[in-house]
């Protein structure tokens, strides 16, 4: 089995004001995410998701999606999705840091 494609979709969920997380920079009005979709040559589709906050990780929603599409996907396409070690090595070789992008 081989990974044939990886897609990334940014999306945001509005938060109710009474449930908003408040930190030193004020309340968060949305919860920003990136959905990763991994497809294989055997017709299996997998999903991953990262909750993105530049306040916590330094990664932005747009930057995470682009990192997945432009850097991490090319490094992982052709790999066996069951070989997690090889995929982690490929992502580490492709780019430093970006833990939220790699985790999705």
């Amino acid at each position: 089995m081989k990974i044939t494609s990886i897609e990334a979709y940014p999306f945001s969920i509005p938060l109710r004001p009474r449930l908003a997380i408040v930190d030193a920079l004020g309340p968060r009005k949305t919860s920003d995410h990136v959905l990763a979709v991994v497809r294989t040559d055997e017709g299996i589709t997998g999903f991953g998701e990262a909750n993105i906050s530049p306040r916590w990780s330094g990664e932005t929603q747009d930057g995470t999606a682009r990192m997945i599409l432009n850097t991490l996907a090319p490094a992982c396409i052709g790999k066996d999705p069951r070989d997690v070690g090889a995929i982690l090595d490929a992502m580490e070789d492709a780019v430093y840091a970006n833990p939220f992008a790699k985790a999705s």
Side-chain angles (χ1 to χ4, degrees):
M1 179 178 349
K2 302 290 180 198
I3 295 171
T4 56
S5 69
I6 300 175
E7 302 155 32
Y9 300 98
F11 67 98
S12 297
I13 300 171
L15 297 174
R16 293 183 183 147
R18 65 182 178 82
L19 299 176
I21 296 170
V22 179
D23 61 19
L25 299 174
R28 289 182 56 197
K29 297 184 183 194
T30 62
S31 183
D32 298 326
H33 303 263
V34 175
L35 175 69
V37 181
V38 179
R39 299 183 195 283
T40 72
D41 60 351
E42 293 187 10
I44 296 171
T45 301
F47 300 92
E49 176 271 337
N51 182 309
I52 306 300
S53 176
R55 294 177 182 178
W56 297 333
S57 70
E59 295 174 79
T60 65
Q61 189 179 35
D62 185 56
T64 298
R66 290 175 186 269
M67 179 62 66
I68 291 168
L69 293 173
N70 298 328
T71 304
L72 298 176
C76 295
I77 289 174
K79 302 254 184 297
D80 185 333
R82 299 166 293 190
D83 190 350
V84 176
I87 291 172
L88 289 173
D89 289 344
M91 290 192 295
E92 287 299 315
D93 289 345
V95 67
Y96 174 75
N98 292 275
F100 284 50
K102 291 174 183 174
S104 63

